[in-house]
Amino acid sequence: MSRIVYSIFKRTLDIFGAIMGIVLLSPVLLVVSILIKLESKGKVLFSQKRVGLNGKEFKIYKFRSMVENAEDLKKNLEDKNEMSGPMFKIKSDPRITRVGSFIRKTSIDELPQLINVLKGDMSLVGPRPSLPKEVESFEPWMLKRLEVKPGLTCYWQVSGRNSIGFHEWMELDIKYANEMSILVDIKLIFKTFLVLFGDKNAY
């Protein structure tokens, strides 16, 4: 299949999938928005600069899962980072709210990125978008992942996520960049649903 045909299919799938997702999940989006607002002060949506296709920066959207001043508090937690490489993540992050903990475990916090998919910043399938400062720390071979539009799900997302080291994560993204096709995209979307419903064998 030619790259042009694949690109048309991928964009069509993105638009259809994003619209269907927003419509079908609108009750969930509404309830989560209310719960976030009731638990802590601050905006319902959290936006942040990420690096997309060909290194172009864009604003990503998420449901806010942390307290309002989370970025300021991060400075005091740098020594507790449990991720290798330039990524930052700790299991018992004190900045995460109760609602935030639930929506992170279920990946509900990522649903506003359907807006990014509609806008064309992201795709349903593709490497997770990195922060600009993370990209600055990439080794040259890792930059190939920027040749692909970032996505909601990818090999890393269905392969254990935080249990995977940084280098293996990057290798999985390069694997997708080299193998991306209609079949691979459909397979990853299917596996994502299995993982969301607790099927660990999908890993």
Side-chain angles (χ1 to χ4, degrees), residues 177-188:
N178 290 329
E179 299 178 354
M180 56 191 295
S181 67
I182 291 176
L183 185 60
V184 169
D185 286 356
I186 293 175
K187 176 183 174 183
L188 285 171

Side-chain angles (χ1 to χ4, degrees), residues 49-67:
K49 280 187 179 180
R50 295 295 176 98
V51 179
L53 181 64
N54 297 322
K56 181 181 178 182
E57 292 187 1
F58 69 97
K59 187 179 291 185
I60 196 174
Y61 301 106
K62 286 187 175 187
F63 275 126
R64 181 173 60 81
S65 60
M66 294 185 173
V67 293

Side-chain angles (χ1 to χ4, degrees), residues 35-203:
L35 292 176
I36 291 173
K37 203 66 181 176
L38 287 176
E39 183 179 14
S40 60
K41 65 177 184 178
K43 298 179 179 179
V44 169
L45 292 183
F46 169 75
S47 63
Q48 190 178 50
K49 280 187 179 180
R50 295 295 176 98
V51 179
L53 181 64
N54 297 322
K56 181 181 178 182
E57 292 187 1
F58 69 97
K59 187 179 291 185
I60 196 174
Y61 301 106
K62 286 187 175 187
F63 275 126
R64 181 173 60 81
S65 60
M66 294 185 173
V67 293
E68 191 176 27
N69 61 334
E71 286 301 308
D72 295 329
L73 296 175
K74 181 179 176 181
K75 300 171 186 176
N76 301 321
L77 300 170
E78 295 284 358
D79 60 329
K80 294 181 173 61
N81 187 19
E82 297 171 1
M83 290 289 287
S84 57
M87 309 299 183
F88 177 84
K89 189 163 290 188
I90 54 179
K91 288 181 181 177
S92 301
D93 196 322
R95 302 172 299 163
I96 299 176
T97 63
R98 286 175 297 175
V99 173
S101 178
F102 172 74
I103 62 177
R104 279 182 168 226
K105 286 178 182 177
T106 54
S107 295
I108 290 174
D109 65 318
E110 310 281 0
L111 291 181
Q113 287 162 42
L114 290 170
I115 298 172
N116 289 116
V117 175
L118 273 181
K119 291 174 62 180
D121 298 323
M122 294 176 62
S123 176
L124 292 177
V125 182
R128 293 298 296 154
S130 298
L131 292 164
K133 67 177 182 179
E134 293 170 347
V135 174
E136 290 174 4
S137 301
F138 282 2
E139 295 175 27
W141 65 272
M142 298 175 183
L143 295 175
K144 184 174 178 60
R145 74 195 297 272
L146 300 182
E147 296 176 10
V148 179
K149 187 179 291 187
L152 287 174
T153 191
C154 55
Y155 280 122
W156 172 78
Q157 199 85 349
V158 301
S159 302
R161 298 178 61 170
N162 298 333
S163 63
I164 295 176
F166 175 68
H167 272 73
E168 186 180 353
W169 177 358
M170 295 296 104
E171 288 171 355
L172 287 172
D173 286 344
I174 302 304
K175 171 183 169 69
Y176 176 74
N178 290 329
E179 299 178 354
M180 56 191 295
S181 67
I182 291 176
L183 185 60
V184 169
D185 286 356
I186 293 175
K187 176 183 174 183
L188 285 171
I189 290 173
F190 179 69
K191 280 193 172 185
T192 299
F193 280 110
L194 292 180
V195 170
L196 288 176
F197 286 105
D199 185 357
K200 301 303 180 185
N201 293 323
Y203 292 168

Side-chain angles (χ1 to χ4, degrees), residues 17-34 44 63 108 111-112 114:
I19 292 175
M20 288 297 293
I22 291 172
V23 172
L24 294 176
L25 296 170
S26 56
V28 176
L29 300 176
L30 178 60
V31 171
V32 170
S33 297
I34 293 172
V44 169
F63 275 126
I108 290 174
L111 291 181
L114 290 170

